[in-house]
Amino acid sequence: MSSAVADLPRGGPALTALLLAVDARGLGGAMLDHPLHEQARSFSLLVQRALPDGAPLRRVPSSVTPDRLYGGVDLAATLSTGTLVAERGVLAAADGGVIVVPMAERLSVAARTALCEVLDYAEVQVARDGIGEHHAARICAIVMDESIDDESVHDALRDRLAFVVRMRGSASEALLDDTDELAVASWERQARDARHRVMSVSVDDSWIAALCETADAFGIDSVRAPLMALRCARAHAALHGRLMITEADAEVAAALVLAPRATRLPPPPEEPANDNEQPGEPPPSSPPEPPSAKDGESADAPEPPTPPDQQPPDADSDESEQNDDAPSPPSSSTDVLREAVTSALPPGMLAQLLEKVSGGSMQGRVGAEKQNMLRGRPRGSRSGLPRGGARLHLLETLRAAAPWQRARLKQAAAAALLSATPTTKARPRVNIRREDFRIRRYIEKTGTTVLFVVDASGSSALNRLAEAKGAVEMLLAESYARRDRVSLIAFRGKDTELLLPPTRALARAKKVLAALPGGGGTPLAHAIEAALEQALGAKRAGSAPLVVMLTDGRANIARDGTPGRPGAERDALAASARFAQQHIPALFVDTSARGEPVARRVADAMRARYVLLPAANAKALGGLVRTAMQMAEGSDRA
């Protein structure tokens, strides 16, 4: 390897930046995971410097509007000249360069859609307000994930970015501390040469199949992932002066592109079975062989089933050396890439993947977004009059009126000439009409109300109530940093009691939970109706409800208070059907020892997620509730 190539970075953010500079259009960009300001600045500048000379660098705030991204009417020029003047947006102005988006998790739906569209088609189409233009927008997007708990960069945007760069540890520090301008200049030259070489890099079909198999093994459903991994391998080969993808290029592509997208662990490889041998029965020809051979040879043989009078050890070693020099078949290529992906997983990722597979906790909150005209996060404007407290959006109003000023002024002048009574009143410089008014839109995020409905009947009440207490206290501790509320409903005997109304007060919750009694029958139908009533009340109050039932499902008290299992089960199923009609997300935790069939029937009738948890604890229940919040989010938005 030449010295010009030997100084290339072997990994980390620096290598990712150079790969982006080689094939920015094909790789899309990178997402920086919680970077510091200087780290993000150094990474963006390195990408810009490695791009062709004059590549622009634009920083876009997360509150950017679609008009600013796409372009539209130049308001000042249009009002001053009286003619429609178009203005290029940020995406078109960044053609051939880099766009940096801090706090990308807070991008509006319209801004996120515009960015994804440009990453797909590399052009901007403007067709509004009398403007019809097309502009090239070949950009490299660098977005920053600075989310806290409940926010995350949208999956549609993440899917279009090849890399996820975790700006922590020695790799990011090396990027910041590297002040050798000669080395950086050498990287830039090699990136420029690689851009001319990347389209000439060829790839063997075995590596294409291996990348696809590796993506499937790690649960990566996106079609873009193996395509981007292939482009990354070609860029890495071109950067190192190669015209053919090698194993090293494929390993780097798998580690940088596929590893951050892994959602599960691959299944262990199956051991090949011999169909001719019966389980537990040795082959008939193998026992007579060892006695005929020397005792020393049979004892030292590394593989007892292999006859000793086969090839000598030297022949075996020569054959293995020849196999090492031969090209790897697709199966071995897949194994190599699986090892590369597994080794590239960050610390703790394996445990998180195991949690996802087993249905463990997931981050996120149930609170959905709803429109509000008075308060919340600004989300553009809409046509309307400033009534009932709605606020006028002055700039958008002027922008809507600007294209029509010339026509309206001519119309006003013609009307003045035709008027019988001359007027000396000066004509307004800006003619605004009713249809031009725009009012501000706000998005307010609703809170969450988790309703714990706990079976306090019978001998199992002590264990179940202790677990519910721990789960409620854990969620209340988290609700101080969020807007979630927790409520507790207990049912026993012939009635249901609201022990804890929706609250965030930890001291009050602990006091009520400590005095929670137990014993009596199981009025399951009454409990489901009480949960439905409380959930509808929380929904009317603007909160997103989530019902968590903890019971063994052995209903023995009917809705009218009479004992008997057949009638109690019928009433429970009827109440569950009414609950399902309201489309309220629910989690049904079966606390029986081995699972009750009636509990599953009730959960299915409620359209709730059924979980058998006989050995539940507070931590497990807290994780299940956080998982179920994802269900509530989708249901509330629908």
Side-chain angles (χ1 to χ4, degrees), residues 149-150 361-365 450 470-486 503-504 506 618-619 621-627 629:
D149 292 336
D150 59 324
S361 62
M362 292 175 59
Q363 288 187 353
R365 55 177 300 165
V450 184
V472 171
E473 290 183 5
M474 288 180 61
L475 292 175
L476 277 173
E478 296 180 1
S479 69
Y480 282 100
R482 300 156 56 138
R483 287 182 289 179
D484 301 338
R485 298 186 299 171
V486 177
T503 182
R504 303 186 189 97
L506 185 59
K619 185 176 181 180
L621 285 178
L624 285 171
V625 170
R626 285 189 292 271
T627 303
M629 286 181 178

Side-chain angles (χ1 to χ4, degrees), residues 184 566 618:
V184 175

Side-chain angles (χ1 to χ4, degrees), residues 15 52 115 141 383 604:
L15 178 60
L115 197 55
S383 178
D604 293 340

Side-chain angles (χ1 to χ4, degrees), residues 206-207 209-211 213-214 217 329-339:
S206 63
W207 289 117
L211 288 172
E213 292 173 4
T214 304
S331 59
S332 63
S333 302
T334 305
D335 295 338
V336 168
L337 297 188
R338 286 189 182 186
E339 294 178 1

Side-chain angles (χ1 to χ4, degrees), residues 499-547:
L499 297 179
L500 184 66
T503 182
R504 303 186 189 97
L506 185 59
R508 180 186 176 191
K510 288 183 177 180
K511 184 177 180 181
V512 173
L513 291 174
L516 184 60
T522 308
L524 186 56
H526 201 283
I528 295 174
E529 291 181 348
L532 177 60
E533 181 182 356
Q534 292 295 325
L536 292 177
K539 201 170 186 179
R540 287 191 296 268
S543 181
L546 170 64
V547 175

Side-chain angles (χ1 to χ4, degrees), residues 27 101 162 217 240 315 375 446 469 528 599 637:
L27 297 174
V101 185
H240 287 76
R375 61 182 179 272
T446 62
K469 291 175 184 179
I528 295 174
R637 290 182 179 178

Side-chain angles (χ1 to χ4, degrees), residues 309-356:
D309 53 353
Q310 293 288 337
Q311 296 177 347
D314 295 336
D316 293 340
S317 61
D318 295 340
E319 184 179 350
S320 62
E321 291 178 1
Q322 293 176 1
N323 291 337
D324 291 341
D325 297 336
S328 300
S331 59
S332 63
S333 302
T334 305
D335 295 338
V336 168
L337 297 188
R338 286 189 182 186
E339 294 178 1
V341 172
T342 305
S343 61
L345 293 175
M349 178 63 75
L350 293 176
Q352 294 177 18
L353 296 182
L354 290 174
E355 271 189 2
K356 289 184 180 180

